[in-house]
Amino acid sequence: MLNLDKDADYQLPGSPFLQVEHLTRVITARAQKTTLLNDITFTVPTQSLFTINGPSGSGKSTLLNMLTGIDRPTEGSVIFAGQELKAQSENALARWRGRNVGIIFQFFQLIPTLTAIENVLLALELGGGGNLPRQAWRERAQICLSIVDAGSFAQRLPAELSGGQQQRVAIARALANDPPVLITDEPTGNLDSRTAHAIFTTLANLTTQGKTVIYVTHDPQLASLAQARIDLLDGQIVNTHGTKATITSRQEEVHS
Amino acid sequence: MSASTRKILADMYRRKARTLLLISGILVGVFGLISITFTKDILFSAFAYTIESQATQPDITMVVDRLDAGLLPALKAVPNVKAVQFETRVSTLWSIHQAPGYTALKIISYPDLHTPALAPFELISGRYPQAGEIVLEYGDTALAPTAIGDMVRIDTTHGQVQLRVVGMARTAGVDPATSGKAQAYMSADGIRQLDVLTNSNQPNRPARQYMLHYKVEHISQVDMTARDLQTILHSQHISVLVTAFPGPAIVPLSQINGIFTLLIALVILAVLVSAILIFNTVTTLITEQTAIIATMKTLGGTQWQIMRSYLLFIIICSSLATIPGLILGITGGYALASILAPAIPLALGPFILPINLILLGLLVGFGVPILAAILPLWNGTRITIREALSTYGVSTERDNTLLTRFDWRLTWISQTVWMGLRSLFRKRWRAMLTIFMLSIAGTSFLMVQILTTSINYTVGSVFTNFHADIEVDLGPQMTFSSLKHDLARVQHIRVLERYGQGGVTTRWGHLALWGIEPQTRIYHYQLVSGRWLRPEDREVVLISRHFSALTGLAVGDNLSVTNPSNQAINWRIIGIINENVNGLGQMGAAVVPVNTLYQFQGAPAQSVNDAAFRVLLQATDHSATTIQALTQQLGNLAMDATTRGSVERGGGIVNVYLVQDEIMRHQRSWFISYILLYGVATIVGGAAMIGLANELTAAVLERRREIGMLRTLGASSWRVAQVFWVQGLSLGLIAWLPATLLGLPLAYAFLRLFSQFVMPVDFIVDPLAFLLLLLSLLTIATLASIIPLKNAARLHIAELLRYE
C-alpha cells in the first residue's frame, strides 16, 4: 500500500511507473446504475508521454480522477510507483497530491485574483514547497514559469493573459513542487490548434526532464504523437499503443 | 506576504461591496453593544456619584422668619450636626410665551453660592450671577426656550423686573421638564434686591423664604437634633415656621437598570443578526469559490490550510469593523449618556476609558464572526475535489410545485417577477437564515412598538380617569371656601373639586399617591374589588391592580408608609382599582381621601376639611376655546392680585395647568426612552438590512450568467433589477409572518419584564403596528436592494458571459 506521507520513488525510464488493474467505476443515481469504467487495466511507463484518448463521455476524466485519488474506484487498484493508491482521508490525499502529482485542467483553474507567479507560489505553499526552504520559493516559481516560457508575464493576472499563456502558467504551477508525474485533463481542449501543439510540445519536453506525463485528450491526432496511449470508448479500452493494456469487451449500461 | 494571504486580500478588494457589508454588519453589532453598555455604565457610575453626593443633601430643613449669620457657630456646635447651610428662596412667577403666560419659579441663593456646604448645584455653562443676573436650571429650557444672554421677566410686588441669564446649572433631583416647576439661582445681593413680600407671620405664603439646612452625623438621632436646633433658634428669637426632613433624593436605579437590561437584550439580537450575516456571507463566499477550493486541494492544500486562509478573511474584516465599532460605540455611548443624564437627572463624572468594555467589544467583534464562520467554512472546505469541480451549487430541479402551478395560471405576471420568486429558496439555508434575520428585526420593531404604545397609553391614561380640564396649584394656606369665593366671578366652570397628588415610599418601592374627594364628580374610578371611599373614611387607601399584583396586598390588609415628618402611618386597604402611573420609578398608584392626603402632607387636622392644596376644574364644555378662556381668567386673577399686592401670591393660585399639557409633559418625559428603544430597534433593523443586501449581492454574483442571458434577450436594466427586487420584497414579506407570530408573545414577555422592573404598564396592541411592521420590512427590503440592484443593472453582457 502506498504510504501517502512519503514521496514516490523515482524509477528507471521505461519501467512501469503507474499500473492500473481491473479498474471499475459504477455510479448509482435514482436507482439506476451506470458503469463509467469497466475493468480497465494498463501501465504507464516511467518518463513517458502517455495519452488517454477517447470521445466525450468515454470515461477519460473519470479514469483521470481515479489516477489522482480524486475519485475512488468501485473495484480494482491503482499502483503508483510500486505502491497501491488506496484512499486515506481527503487531507492525506491532498498532501500526497501536492508532493507527487501535478494536475493541469482544461480550463486552467488559475486563481483569478493572484498573478501568475503568485499562482505558482500558492502551489508551493499548499504542496509543501518541493522540499525547498521558504526563501527559495520565489526563485523556484520563476524557474517553473521559465521552463514553460511564461517568465515574462509572471506579474500579470490571469485575466490579462491569453488562453495559451494561462495554460503555461497552469503547467508551471503543476511543476512547482517538482512532482514525478503530471496529469493533464484536455489541456489543449480550450485552445486553438497552434497553441495546442505548442503546449503539447512543452509537456512532451518535460519527459526529458524526468517527468511522466499522462495526457487526456479527445484529439486522435495529438494522441498519436505520444509514446504510449490507450483509447477509451464507453468506459472500456478499445485500443492500445506502446503499453501493456487489456482490451475489454463492450458492456452495456447495467440497469437495476 | 504569503500567496494565500494575498489571495484573501485580493478577494476582499474584488468583492468590495460584500466586504463592506460584512464589515458594516460586524460594526453595527459591536457599536450597538458597546454604546448601550457604555451608556449604562456611565449612568450607573454617575448614580454612584449622586449617592456619594447624598452626603451633601440636607437631613433637616427649617423655614425661619429671618437669618442671622452670627448664629452659625452655635448651630454647628449642636451635637450630631455635621454641616449648616443658609438659604434664601424667592417663589415668584416667570412670564413665558406658552399658556397661561407664566410658570412658577423658585429662585435660590446661598451666602456662598460658589461652594455651598449643602444642596450644591453644578454650573454646566456660563458663569455665576451678579446682582440683576440669574442662572437657570438646565431643565427650565423645556418650559420656555431660553439661552445664556436672554432676559427673563419675573413678577415682583410692584410689577415685573428683567434679569439677564448668565449661566445654566444642573441640580441632582431637580427636573423642571417633568415637574413643570422652574428653578434658578441668584447671588445674595441680587435676591436681596428683588422687591417681593416677606411675611413671617403667615408661614407658607411669603414670596421670600429664609431657610436653614442641616446635615447630621447619625440619621437615627435626627428628631432630637432638630429639637435642639429649634431650642437654640427660639432662644435667639428666631421663629421656626416649618421643620421638614427631606430624606434622600430618589434616583430610580433599578428602573434605569431595567430599561438598559431590555435595551441590551435587543442589542444582543443585533449581534445575532450580525452572526447570521457572517454565516450567510461565508456560505456565499465558499459557494462562489468552490472551484478555487477544489483547485487548492488539487495543489495539495488540506482542509485546515484552506480554512485558515478564509478565517484570515474573517479576522481582517473583524479588525476593520471592531476597532471603529469600539471607537464609535464608546464616543456614541458617552454622547448618549450626556444627553440622558440631565433628563434623569444625574451629573456625569469624568470620561474614563472602559477597559472591560474594550475587552468585551474585542471578544464580540472577533469571537462572534469566527464562531459564525466556522460551520460554513468547515462544511464548505470539506467538499471533495470531484464534488467541487462538478457542482455549480445550484439545484436544477424545479421542486417548487406550488409556484409552478401559479406560474401557469397567473400569466399576466412578468417572467422576471417569477424568476425573482422562484429564486427565493434557491439556496434554502441561506434564504431561511435571511428570513430569520428579517424576522428578528421585525420582532424587535414590534416589541418596541408595542412597548412604546403601551407606555404612552398608560402614561396618557393616568389623567383620563380625571374628567378635568384644568389643574390649579394653590398656596398651602389657601382655603377651599375662599377659593370658591374668588372663583365665583369666573365663567365656564362646571365642577370645582379639591384633590392632591404626591408620592410615598413603601417597602416595595415608590407609590404614586392621589387624594380624591369621596363624592367625586371628576374622578371616574374603576373598581376591581372592594369598595370606593365614603365621606366618613379616614386612613384608608385603594391600591392599583398592578401594585396589588406586585405586592400581594389585598382588601383588608394594611399598607405601611412613612410621612414627610418621619412618622409611620398605616392605611387600611378598602379596594383595588384600575389606575396607572406615569413616572419612572413608580411601582403602582394609590388613592386616599383628599383630607387624608392633606394631613399626610402636613395640613393641620382641625383645618383639613377646608384645606385645598390643588383643585381640578371641569369646564362647561371641553372645547379648546372654552378651556383657553377659563385658563386666561384664572391667570388674570392670579396676576392682578399679585400686582395689586393686596393678596399674597395672587389669591393663592400658584400655577395653572391644562390637564392635556400635563399628559403631554409626562408622555414627553418618556421620549428619551422611546428614542433609545427605537434606536436599538433601528440597529437591529440596520443589521438585518445589511444581511439582506448581502444575500441579494450574493444572488447577483451567483446569477451573472442568467443576467447575461436576460441581457442578450433584450432585458432592460429595470427588468434585470426587478428579479432581485422581487426576491428582496418577497423575503421581507415572508419574514412578516414569523415576525408577527414571534413578536406578539415576545412583546408580551418584554412588557412583563418592563412592568416588573421599570414601571407597570398595560399590554396595548395597536393593529396598525402590524401594518407598520410590514411597511418597515418592505422598506428594509427595498433599501437593502438598492446596491445589489445597481450592481445587477450595470453588468455588461460580454463580462457576464465571459464569467467562469
Side-chain angles (χ1 to χ4, degrees):
Chain A
M1 186 190 293
L2 181 71
N3 180 351
L4 295 172
D5 289 329
K6 193 181 168 190
D7 292 352
D9 296 324
Y10 283 81
Q11 297 186 329
L12 290 172
S15 61
F17 181 82
L18 194 136
Q19 288 172 264
V20 174
E21 291 177 355
H22 307 292
L23 204 68
T24 298
R25 179 73 172 106
V26 179
I27 58 163
T28 306
R30 296 188 175 185
Q32 184 180 341
K33 281 185 178 176
T34 307
T35 303
L36 301 178
L37 290 174
N38 185 17
D39 195 19
I40 302 287
T41 298
F42 65 90
T43 56
V44 178
T46 302
Q47 295 174 23
S48 67
L49 176 64
F50 182 91
T51 61
I52 300 170
N53 180 233
S56 182
S58 60
K60 302 187 298 293
S61 294
T62 308
L63 177 57
L64 187 142
N65 285 346
M66 302 292 156
L67 302 183
T68 52
I70 288 174
D71 202 356
R72 294 161 197 197
T74 311
E75 283 174 34
S77 59
V78 176
I79 298 160
F80 196 99
Q83 290 177 302
E84 189 180 344
L85 179 61
K86 274 198 175 169
Q88 303 281 316
S89 67
E90 275 287 323
N91 283 338
L93 274 169
R95 274 194 294 272
W96 170 78
R97 265 192 302 270
R99 289 169 188 168
N100 297 298
V101 186
I103 303 175
I104 300 156
F105 301 95
Q106 180 179 355
F107 292 103
F108 328 128
Q109 305 287 10
L110 295 177
I111 308 295
T113 50
L114 296 183
T115 60
I117 194 164
E118 283 167 353
N119 266 282
V120 183
L121 280 167
L122 182 68
L124 281 160
E125 198 178 305
L126 297 173
N131 296 325
L132 292 170
R134 200 177 183 97
Q135 56 268 32
W137 286 1
R138 185 161 281 273
E139 191 187 351
R140 169 72 188 161
Q142 193 62 52
I143 290 169
C144 291
L145 286 169
S146 302
I147 289 171
V148 294
D149 292 333
S152 58
F153 36 81
Q155 299 303 331
R156 289 202 219 157
L157 288 168
E160 297 164 346
L161 301 174
S162 68
Q165 288 170 330
Q166 286 193 53
Q167 196 57 291
R168 285 177 192 283
V169 175
I171 297 168
R173 185 177 65 180
L175 290 170
N177 290 300
D178 195 21
V181 63
L182 298 181
I183 299 181
T184 69
D185 185 7
E186 301 269 15
T188 55
N190 208 26
L191 303 173
D192 61 84
S193 61
R194 214 176 103 194
T195 314
H197 275 277
I199 292 292
F200 185 85
T201 309
T202 303
L203 286 168
N205 288 342
L206 289 173
T207 58
T208 62
Q209 295 171 34
K211 306 292 178 198
T212 302
V213 179
I214 299 173
Y215 193 106
V216 174
T217 180
H218 67 277
D219 183 348
Q221 203 184 348
L222 274 180
S224 65
L225 298 174
Q227 292 147 343
R229 77 163 197 270
I230 56 169
D231 294 339
L232 287 181
L233 187 68
D234 295 338
Q236 297 169 96
I237 297 174
V238 292
N239 192 18
T240 67
H241 174 76
T243 179
K244 286 180 187 170
T246 307
I247 299 175
T248 47
S249 60
R250 174 173 293 210
Q251 190 172 318
E252 297 299 329
E253 285 185 346
V254 181
H255 300 278
S256 65
Chain B
M1 189 188 296
S2 71
S4 51
T5 307
R6 195 177 286 274
K7 173 190 169 295
I8 286 302
L9 291 177
D11 284 345
M12 287 177 71
Y13 184 74
R14 189 166 170 233
R15 300 278 184 242
K16 284 188 280 289
R18 185 175 59 199
T19 307
L20 209 64
L21 286 172
L22 184 63
I23 291 171
S24 311
I26 303 171
L27 195 148
V28 164
V30 173
F31 165 73
L33 185 67
I34 297 303
S35 59
I36 296 296
T37 315
F38 192 40
T39 306
K40 181 190 170 191
D41 285 359
I42 293 172
L43 291 180
F44 272 73
S45 99
F47 171 74
Y49 175 79
T50 308
I51 292 282
E52 283 169 18
S53 79
Q54 295 295 346
T56 59
Q57 295 299 313
D59 298 319
I60 307 167
T61 291
M62 291 177 178
V63 180
V64 293
D65 62 344
R66 65 188 172 87
L67 291 174
D68 181 354
L71 264 178
L72 196 60
L75 293 172
K76 276 184 175 172
V78 171
N80 196 33
V81 169
K82 197 172 167 186
V84 181
Q85 174 72 55
F86 287 10
E87 178 188 314
T88 305
R89 178 179 295 190
V90 166
S91 300
T92 183
L93 298 176
W94 171 19
S95 294
I96 58 173
H97 292 298
Q98 287 85 343
Y102 61 86
T103 186
L105 174 68
K106 182 169 77 181
I107 306 172
I108 292 168
S109 179
Y110 304 120
D112 42 0
L113 197 61
H114 294 62
T115 51
L118 295 174
F121 63 93
E122 185 190 356
L123 192 71
I124 54 171
S125 59
R127 59 173 174 80
Y128 287 96
Q130 307 284 335
E133 295 174 342
I134 193 166
V135 165
L136 294 181
E137 181 72 18
Y138 182 72
D140 293 347
T141 53
L143 305 174
T146 317
I148 292 175
D150 289 353
M151 302 299 285
V152 294
R153 281 187 299 132
I154 64 162
D155 288 354
T156 62
T157 309
H158 297 98
Q160 293 188 325
V161 294
Q162 293 203 348
L163 300 169
R164 181 175 297 282
V165 180
V166 295
M168 292 286 169
R170 184 159 60 192
T171 313
V174 175
D175 184 16
T178 307
S179 67
K181 289 166 186 161
Q183 181 165 316
Y185 296 90
M186 285 182 75
S187 66
D189 285 344
I191 209 162
R192 198 177 302 124
Q193 288 169 13
L194 286 180
D195 180 17
V196 289
L197 296 170
T198 307
N199 190 341
S200 59
N201 294 322
Q202 297 185 45
N204 289 310
R205 301 181 78 171
R208 190 195 308 272
Q209 282 184 326
Y210 298 115
M211 303 176 96
L212 282 165
H213 301 297
Y214 308 93
K215 188 78 191 169
V216 298
E217 298 277 3
H218 306 289
I219 196 74
S220 56
Q221 297 163 18
V222 70
D223 291 337
M224 193 192 295
T225 309
R227 277 195 294 275
D228 292 347
L229 289 164
Q230 283 170 343
T231 308
I232 289 178
L233 291 167
H234 286 148
S235 70
Q236 297 299 316
H237 308 292
I238 293 176
S239 300
V240 179
L241 309 170
V242 174
T243 301
F245 303 89
I250 297 161
V251 176
L253 176 69
S254 60
Q255 288 73 30
I256 296 168
N257 192 24
I259 288 183
F260 277 96
T261 306
L262 295 177
L263 287 173
I264 287 170
L266 283 177
V267 170
I268 287 169
L269 288 183
V271 174
L272 179 65
V273 169
S274 294
I276 296 172
L277 164 74
I278 293 153
F279 185 93
N280 270 358
T281 306
V282 173
T283 308
T284 314
L285 178 74
I286 293 292
T287 308
E288 186 191 312
Q289 300 217 341
T290 301
I292 290 176
I293 290 168
T295 306
M296 287 164 84
K297 283 197 167 185
T298 59
L299 296 175
T302 60
Q303 187 184 4
W304 168 237
Q305 275 178 309
I306 297 166
M307 262 185 82
R308 207 170 49 191
S309 70
Y310 286 104
L311 275 175
L312 182 68
F313 167 71
I314 299 297
I315 289 168
I316 293 170
C317 287
S318 295
S319 309
L320 292 173
T322 305
I323 291 157
L326 273 171
I327 294 168
L328 285 174
I330 289 169
T331 49
Y334 192 76
L336 189 61
S338 305
I339 295 165
L340 292 177
I344 291 175
L346 284 170
L348 291 190
F351 179 87
I352 297 166
L353 205 62
I355 303 296
N356 58 336
L357 280 190
I358 292 173
L359 291 175
L360 175 72
L362 290 174
L363 192 72
V364 171
F366 286 93
V368 170
I370 288 173
L371 280 178
I374 284 282
L375 184 65
L377 276 183
W378 172 260
N379 214 26
T381 54
R382 207 178 51 175
I383 193 166
T384 63
I385 300 171
R386 193 173 61 82
E387 287 166 342
L389 292 179
S390 63
T391 184
Y392 287 101
V394 181
S395 167
T396 53
E397 292 172 34
R398 284 187 67 175
D399 52 0
N400 203 340
T401 50
L402 188 69
L403 271 180
T404 312
R405 278 204 300 276
F406 273 119
D407 190 356
W408 279 102
R409 288 158 197 248
L410 305 175
T411 49
W412 49 272
I413 295 177
S414 82
Q415 285 305 308
T416 44
V417 171
W418 282 120
M419 277 180 76
L421 289 174
R422 278 199 216 100
S423 51
L424 277 180
F425 292 98
R426 196 164 150 269
K427 301 278 185 183
R428 263 188 212 96
W429 274 105
R430 224 171 59 196
M432 299 297 274
L433 282 172
T434 306
I435 290 170
F436 180 59
M437 199 158 58
L438 288 168
S439 304
I440 288 177
T443 301
S444 310
F445 173 82
L446 198 62
M447 283 158 71
V448 168
Q449 212 280 340
I450 289 177
L451 182 63
T452 51
T453 305
S454 299
I455 295 172
N456 219 30
Y457 169 82
T458 304
V459 171
S461 73
V462 169
F463 286 93
T464 54
N465 286 345
F466 291 91
H467 288 214
D469 300 303
I470 294 169
E471 179 188 339
V472 179
D473 279 2
L474 304 164
Q477 291 297 305
M478 186 72 184
T479 61
F480 192 46
S481 49
S482 62
L483 179 73
K484 280 197 281 194
H485 177 263
D486 285 350
L487 298 184
R489 287 167 296 151
V490 177
Q491 293 174 323
H492 306 303
I493 298 176
R494 177 185 283 160
V495 183
L496 172 67
E497 201 170 289
R498 297 185 306 156
Y499 105 114
Q501 190 184 345
V504 63
T505 305
T506 69
R507 67 188 176 94
W508 294 280
H510 201 62
L511 202 57
L513 198 58
W514 306 97
I516 309 284
E517 291 277 22
Q519 290 168 313
T520 178
R521 288 167 63 196
I522 281 185
Y523 183 75
H524 291 209
Y525 56 84
Q526 296 173 33
L527 207 59
V528 176
S529 63
R531 65 169 178 84
W532 178 245
L533 302 169
R534 291 175 188 149
E536 66 275 17
D537 279 336
R538 296 282 184 277
E539 312 300 322
V540 295
V541 65
L542 291 106
I543 58 170
S544 67
R545 182 171 47 85
H546 287 300
F547 190 65
S548 168
L550 180 79
T551 59
L553 288 172
V555 174
D557 291 345
N558 277 335
L559 177 67
S560 300
V561 296
T562 308
N563 74 5
S565 301
N566 264 0
Q567 293 166 323
I569 293 174
N570 277 326
W571 287 333
R572 188 166 49 85
I573 299 170
I574 59 163
I576 311 288
I577 49 169
N578 270 327
E579 183 56 78
N580 286 318
V581 292
N582 57 10
L584 191 68
Q586 296 173 337
M587 299 318 290
V591 169
V592 293
V594 67
N595 287 347
T596 302
L597 180 72
Y598 286 171
Q599 265 188 282
F600 178 78
Q601 290 178 330
Q606 64 276 16
S607 58
V608 75
N609 285 335
D610 198 28
F613 293 179
R614 279 180 174 182
V615 290
L616 290 172
L617 278 82
Q618 195 183 81
T620 46
D621 66 87
H622 298 300
S623 70
T625 321
T626 307
I627 294 167
Q628 194 61 41
L630 186 53
T631 310
Q632 207 59 51
Q633 289 180 72
L634 292 168
N636 290 342
L637 188 71
M639 296 285 266
D640 289 350
T642 308
T643 318
R644 273 202 318 272
S646 56
V647 183
E648 296 86 350
R649 303 298 308 131
I653 295 176
V654 176
N655 257 325
V656 180
Y657 309 103
L658 298 182
V659 170
Q660 200 52 42
D661 285 352
E662 186 85 338
I663 294 171
M664 281 174 65
R665 195 161 47 238
H666 278 96
Q667 287 177 328
R668 223 174 22 232
S669 70
W670 281 95
F671 281 1
I672 289 168
S673 304
Y674 298 166
I675 290 167
L676 273 174
L677 285 163
Y678 274 106
V680 177
T682 307
I683 289 174
V684 181
M689 192 170 75
I690 294 167
L692 179 59
N694 190 51
E695 163 68 9
L696 295 177
T697 304
V700 171
L701 281 174
E702 286 160 4
R703 304 178 69 189
R704 288 159 71 103
R705 274 184 177 172
E706 278 177 54
I707 297 170
M709 290 311 294
L710 286 174
R711 285 294 209 186
T712 53
L713 294 171
S716 62
S717 296
W718 158 240
R719 294 301 289 268
V720 170
Q722 198 181 34
V723 176
F724 299 97
W725 189 47
V726 166
Q727 189 179 344
L729 284 181
S730 306
L731 287 169
L733 196 66
I734 293 170
W736 178 71
L737 190 67
T740 307
L741 294 176
L742 222 90
L744 266 180
L746 280 176
Y748 183 75
F750 199 60
L751 207 84
R752 296 301 308 155
L753 285 173
F754 188 88
S755 292
Q756 194 171 348
F757 294 112
V758 183
M759 186 183 90
V761 286
D762 293 327
F763 184 64
I764 306 293
V765 180
D766 183 356
L768 208 64
F770 300 109
L771 185 64
L772 278 174
L773 170 64
L774 181 63
L775 288 176
S776 306
L777 284 170
L778 294 181
T779 308
I780 284 177
T782 303
L783 290 175
S785 309
I786 293 173
I787 295 175
L789 294 195
K790 274 184 152 181
N791 286 343
R794 69 173 175 219
L795 290 171
H796 299 292
I797 300 175
E799 186 191 340
L800 296 172
L801 297 180
R802 196 167 58 228
Y803 187 65
E804 294 188 10

